[in-house]
Amino acid sequence: MILATASQGITKSSDTVEVYNLSYNHISCMSLKGMTDIGKKLFVELPYSQMLRYPIMTVTENFYRYYIETLILHMFPALLIDSLLTIFGQKRRLVKLVRKIYIAYTVLAPFLCNTYWFLNDKYINMQKDLKEEDSAFSFNYKSWTDEEMYEFIKGGKLGMEVYLFGEKLGVTGSKAKQKMMKYWLAEVIFKTILLTVFLWIFMYKLNFFNLATIKTISYFNSLSS
């Protein structure tokens, strides 16, 4: 800020306002996939102690896949849990929360599915004009290593636990990991049951296998006749 103020102060024109972007731009970029990979690693090493289900993170640009997975993996379980909460006289909350998250992701989709470059050429060029005795006002732009990116996101995760969830800093021990493994087992069982029901409806109730077999045989018979 001091450097930008000094640079603006010595310019001749006072009719314009310069905007200096402090982004890392092309110097050190982090892709959505990179953040996702780090997030998956943190789920295993530092799981949340107040998790409600096993954390799963997938990235897709296909809206229909996102919509279907939201219904199956989020909305249906939320409806089930809210129904149980109603039975036990508790307030329904998950369906409303899932809906808010869905709307938020839909709004953010253009920013998540496209690449944006925030140019910082002005700030970099301004630093090049610094004299050697003013080097204390320079900001050393350098590429982040994978370890530094991991530590940065890890710090954000720990801070979120403290200020959003009210947990003590860094308290995610063996109990949280055991809880996560239980949720993982429940997730596997739930998906297995869901897949079994889907296949049962698809193959037997809709008689898809027999219809496909008959169509295939008819097709080859028509070729030979």
Side-chain angles (χ1 to χ4, degrees), residues 63 66-67 70 99-112:
F63 172 77
Y66 168 65
Y67 184 79
T70 299
R99 184 175 179 274
K100 287 182 179 180
I101 294 174
Y102 169 77
I103 294 174
Y105 275 128
T106 303
V107 172
L108 291 174
F111 302 97
L112 297 173

Side-chain angles (χ1 to χ4, degrees), residues 2 21 30 38 44 60 85 88 95 97-98 119-120 131 135 139-140 146 156 168 176 182 185 187 192 212-213:
I2 295 175
N21 193 340
M30 179 179 289
I38 293 176
V44 177
T60 179
L85 289 174
F88 290 103
V95 171
L97 178 61
V98 168
L119 302 179
N120 56 355
K131 298 179 181 179
S135 59
F139 185 84
N140 184 22
D146 293 340
K168 294 182 179 180
K182 292 178 181 178
L185 181 60
E187 189 81 17
T192 303
T213 303

Side-chain angles (χ1 to χ4, degrees), residues 146-209:
D146 293 340
E147 291 76 14
E148 289 173 332
M149 288 186 178
Y150 173 79
E151 290 298 325
F152 177 77
I153 296 180
K154 176 183 175 182
K157 186 262 184 188
L158 294 175
M160 183 169 58
E161 285 184 341
V162 174
Y163 297 106
L164 291 183
F165 301 150
E167 297 184 2
K168 294 182 179 180
L169 183 61
V171 181
T172 51
S174 58
K175 289 185 177 180
K177 292 183 179 180
Q178 291 174 4
K179 187 177 182 180
M180 186 180 69
M181 291 307 298
K182 292 178 181 178
Y183 282 144
W184 173 81
L185 181 60
E187 189 81 17
V188 171
I189 294 173
F190 170 75
K191 288 185 176 180
T192 303
I193 294 174
L194 190 66
L195 180 61
T196 303
V197 171
F198 174 78
L199 290 176
W200 178 74
I201 294 174
F202 194 68
M203 301 298 289
Y204 293 98
K205 285 296 183 180
L206 298 180
N207 206 18
F208 175 80
F209 182 76

